[in-house]
Amino acid sequence: MCLPLGEQPQRRLPQLFLGLALYGFSLSLMVRASLGVNPWSVLYEGLEHRTSLSFGTISAVLGVLVLLLWIPLKQRPTFGTVANIVVLAYSSDLGLALLPQHLGLPVRAGLLVGGVLLNGLSVAVYVGARFGPGPRDGLMTGASTATGRSLRLVRTLVELTVLAVGWLLGGSVGVGTVLYAVAVGPLTQFFLPWFVYRSGAGRGPEGAASEGAGADAGPPPRSRPRARSEVEA
């Protein structure tokens, strides 16, 4: 659940920006590993090969284009949505500028594992700040609501399409793509309770997790079973 911008901004804003910056940097780690990246990064890489734009710039441009799809879905962007586009673009490009290319396989394997771990952590950090979904997240949740289909099905269809287009354009698909799909959801689920901001209403990790259930955040964390007293409340 997205909270008002004015609620504890001194506590939540640094967490949002830190999480988004770490997320962008985690993408650059996986790119430099050259062992496969997540579906949207496959598309960014493919377009990077075909244009003069940087990885981060492409992510921002596609983020804005995805926002246009929010209009028929009656989704409204939040502060977190805009921050997602801007911070991810700069942090991923900065990471790619700092990290060397053409590394040995052991180093690349370390970058891949580190990138996946950092990605899961960063999702928990920025989603836990509860500033609303990123552009791709909102597309998933909006399409799910509009069509009546499950979020898992919508996300799977969209990401398979994105992955296929990116691969055809020359994006990197490999073991890292599979590792990301398998590991990021559980990692986010593990880290989220440590970082979720709980408002005066007492909402827990479940409300925050719903904001990051789409492509930006990886597979949605599964909420813990609730006691009967919680359900009846």
Side-chain angles (χ1 to χ4, degrees):
M1 178 180 177
C2 178
L3 298 176
L5 178 60
E7 181 171 337
Q8 293 292 318
Q10 73 278 8
R11 154 70 169 79
R12 296 165 58 222
L13 281 173
Q15 179 175 332
L16 172 70
F17 290 126
L18 175 62
L20 291 174
L22 291 176
Y23 187 92
F25 187 72
S26 74
L27 296 183
S28 66
L29 288 174
M30 289 185 281
V31 169
R32 285 291 180 256
S34 301
L35 293 170
V37 291
N38 67 41
W40 285 94
S41 293
V42 173
L43 180 58
Y44 303 158
E45 277 194 328
L47 290 172
E48 186 180 16
H49 295 330
R50 305 296 178 123
T51 68
S52 59
L53 301 177
S54 69
F55 182 94
T57 301
I58 291 171
S59 76
V61 170
L62 287 183
V64 173
L65 292 177
V66 168
L67 278 184
L68 297 179
L69 298 177
W70 284 32
I71 297 175
L73 297 175
K74 298 180 180 179
Q75 296 281 94
R76 292 185 178 182
T78 65
F79 178 83
T81 309
V82 178
N84 185 293
I85 294 173
V86 176
V87 178
L88 260 63
Y90 279 104
S91 59
S92 58
D93 272 352
L94 177 61
L96 290 172
L98 294 175
L99 294 169
Q101 302 183 56
H102 312 301
L103 299 167
L105 181 58
V107 177
R108 290 161 52 206
L111 289 178
L112 174 62
V113 173
V116 172
L117 287 171
L118 183 60
N119 192 275
L121 172 65
S122 65
V123 169
V125 173
Y126 86 75
V127 169
R130 300 176 69 179
F131 277 101
R136 288 152 288 269
D137 297 335
L139 174 63
M140 304 296 177
T141 55
S144 175
T145 301
T147 61
R149 303 294 184 179
S150 71
L151 179 59
R152 183 180 299 274
L153 175 62
V154 171
R155 175 179 173 274
T156 299
L157 292 175
V158 171
E159 291 200 345
L160 285 177
T161 302
V162 167
L163 180 67
V165 173
W167 178 71
L168 290 173
L169 292 173
S172 174
V173 178
V175 65
T177 310
V178 178
L179 178 62
Y180 182 91
V182 171
V184 167
L187 285 170
T188 302
Q189 178 185 359
F190 175 76
F191 287 120
L192 187 59
W194 296 1
F195 296 101
V196 66
Y197 170 78
R198 293 172 175 82
S199 68
R203 289 295 298 270
E206 295 85 350
S210 65
E211 295 173 15
D216 296 332
R222 295 171 58 187
S223 60
R224 62 174 177 82
R226 292 183 294 176
R228 182 176 180 180
S229 59
E230 291 179 272
V231 176
E232 291 175 347

